[in-house]
Amino acid sequence: MIVDCATYRDGVRQDTAHDEQSLREALDALEDHEFIWIGMANPRVDELSRVASALSLHPLAVEDALEAHQRPKVERYSDHLFASLRSVTYSDDDIRTHEVNVFLGERFLLTVRHGGESLREARRRAESVDGAMSHGPTAAFHAVIDTIVDHYEDVARELEQDVEEVETSVFSTERTSDSTRIYRLKRETLEFRRAVLPLREPVHRFATVAVPEEARPYFRDIADHLARASEAIDAIDHLLDNALNAHLAQLSVQQNEDMRKLTAGATIFAVPTAIAGIYGMNFRYMPELSWHLGYPLCLAVIGSLCLYIYWRFKRSGWL
């Protein structure tokens, strides 16, 4: 459905009716320095088809806009440009991506959103800057991409905080089980990477040749933010690899410590077991069998040997 539709005359918003006939009339009535911005959310086929017919959009681009499984890309048609972007949200170690498709023409901008947060923030930010919307639909297109990329940096910062928590847990003195969370964060980072990296080349084109000269500095700023988000993703992925390796090393060390303690305990108990086993044999003539102090002496020898072995293991760090 159409969630917002407005015509901008000299940068000033004028609300426009949503039906196909009204859109055609509004487009035909546009003068210089005027354009229309239409926002749609989760449209049905018939809803998008009516708008596409009014704007004379290419059928292949319309088909891509209806299928919310596009790789981030930018394609140019004869009289308009089609861009597929992915907005990103992050909560509780879970990254969710939602598709935003944009049609940019000489006199119009159409955004088609599938899930995710509303683009009202982008529209509000563009309208709040004096004179921004007077630069035409390219300014509105910049506002949409700028808002999405700014959220990339927010998500990257939240991911970095979670990675720091994982590192603290891995290197703590307490025994932890962080491998599941590390693996999950790596999967979410991969999903994040799929949303961000394919966008770098198209944004670079906007910053150099694809938009008017006066708009290129603004897209260069977006390209810089996008590069920072990409570098943050690479750093996060590298830190997660290191954390996983460190966690596995910690598990190996803990297992070695457990084995040493078990070995030391078995060695200590081997002494009384051996002595008791010898004296448990049914022979008539054995040392000290008829001596009254034989039993306490045997216990004293066992205790002394066990204490000595315990002291040696304690001194060597095995216990």
Side-chain angles (χ1 to χ4, degrees):
M1 59 178 294
I2 295 179
V3 294
D4 201 351
C5 183
T7 299
Y8 294 87
R9 296 187 174 94
D10 296 323
V12 179
R13 176 189 175 106
Q14 306 289 331
D15 289 333
T16 304
H18 295 177
D19 59 277
E20 180 181 354
Q21 183 62 32
S22 299
L23 288 177
R24 289 184 182 276
E25 293 175 355
L27 286 169
D28 293 338
L30 290 177
E31 300 178 358
D32 292 340
H33 305 296
E34 295 181 356
F35 73 97
I36 188 170
W37 183 352
I38 308 164
M40 304 187 73
N42 306 309
R44 299 193 306 269
V45 175
D46 58 323
E47 292 174 336
L48 183 57
S49 297
R50 287 195 297 268
V51 176
S53 176
L55 299 178
S56 301
L57 301 178
H58 196 282
L60 290 178
V62 175
E63 182 181 350
D64 287 344
L66 284 170
E67 298 178 2
H69 302 288
Q70 300 297 320
R71 184 177 183 270
K73 62 180 180 178
V74 175
E75 295 180 347
R76 182 176 293 278
Y77 295 92
S78 59
D79 59 348
H80 63 275
L81 180 146
F82 173 73
S84 182
L85 316 172
R86 285 196 171 272
S87 62
V88 177
T89 57
Y90 181 68
S91 177
D92 298 329
D93 295 348
D94 184 27
I95 282 183
R96 294 184 179 273
T97 61
H98 306 278
E99 191 167 315
V100 178
N101 298 304
V102 184
F103 296 86
L104 174 64
E106 185 179 358
R107 296 291 184 86
F108 67 87
L109 181 77
L110 168 64
T111 57
V112 181
R113 175 173 57 85
H114 295 276
E117 298 179 355
S118 171
L119 294 176
R120 288 193 179 92
E121 178 187 351
R123 192 185 289 259
R124 185 169 53 251
R125 287 171 59 177
E127 293 174 349
S128 64
V129 178
D130 292 337
M133 301 299 279
S134 62
H135 294 285
T138 302
F141 182 51
H142 168 270
V144 172
I145 298 183
D146 189 41
T147 300
I148 291 175
V149 172
D150 283 349
H151 286 167
Y152 290 167
E153 293 192 284
D154 295 338
V155 170
R157 282 192 291 269
E158 294 177 12
L159 265 175
E160 287 172 347
Q161 292 176 359
D162 286 344
V163 171
E164 289 177 0
E165 292 178 3
V166 168
E167 289 179 321
T168 302
S169 178
V170 166
F171 293 104
S172 66
T173 56
E174 299 179 359
R175 294 198 175 192
T176 58
S177 179
D178 299 301
S179 55
T180 301
R181 189 181 186 193
I182 293 173
Y183 178 73
R184 183 174 181 178
L185 287 174
K186 281 189 67 66
R187 286 195 61 183
E188 300 308 310
T189 302
L190 178 60
E191 185 72 16
F192 192 16
R193 185 192 299 274
R194 289 172 179 167
V196 174
L197 293 192
L199 199 57
R200 295 187 64 178
E201 193 274 333
V203 170
H204 176 72
R205 291 210 311 267
F206 290 136
T208 53
V209 295
V211 296
E213 180 69 32
E214 63 272 12
R216 292 175 189 175
Y218 298 96
F219 283 94
R220 282 199 293 270
D221 180 67
I222 293 178
D224 180 61
H225 291 186
L226 198 60
R228 288 206 298 266
S230 300
E231 292 170 359
I233 291 173
D234 291 337
I236 289 168
D237 191 55
H238 185 65
L239 288 173
L240 287 173
D241 284 337
N242 292 341
L244 182 59
N245 292 333
H247 178 63
L248 295 177
Q250 290 281 81
L251 290 178
S252 179
V253 170
Q254 291 172 359
Q255 290 174 352
N256 288 338
E257 290 180 353
D258 292 341
M259 289 302 299
R260 289 192 299 180
K261 291 179 180 179
L262 290 173
T263 302
T267 303
I268 292 173
F269 281 101
V271 172
T273 301
I275 296 176
I278 293 173
Y279 276 89
M281 291 186 292
N282 296 320
F283 291 101
R284 181 182 298 273
Y285 301 105
M286 296 188 69
E288 292 85 25
L289 285 180
S290 58
W291 188 29
H292 293 289
L293 297 179
Y295 183 70
L297 178 62
C298 183
L299 293 179
V301 170
I302 292 175
S304 300
L305 290 174
C306 288
L307 287 174
Y308 175 73
I309 295 172
Y310 176 82
W311 174 74
R312 290 297 302 269
F313 278 125
K314 191 74 172 177
R315 186 178 179 183
S316 63
W318 281 48
L319 288 174

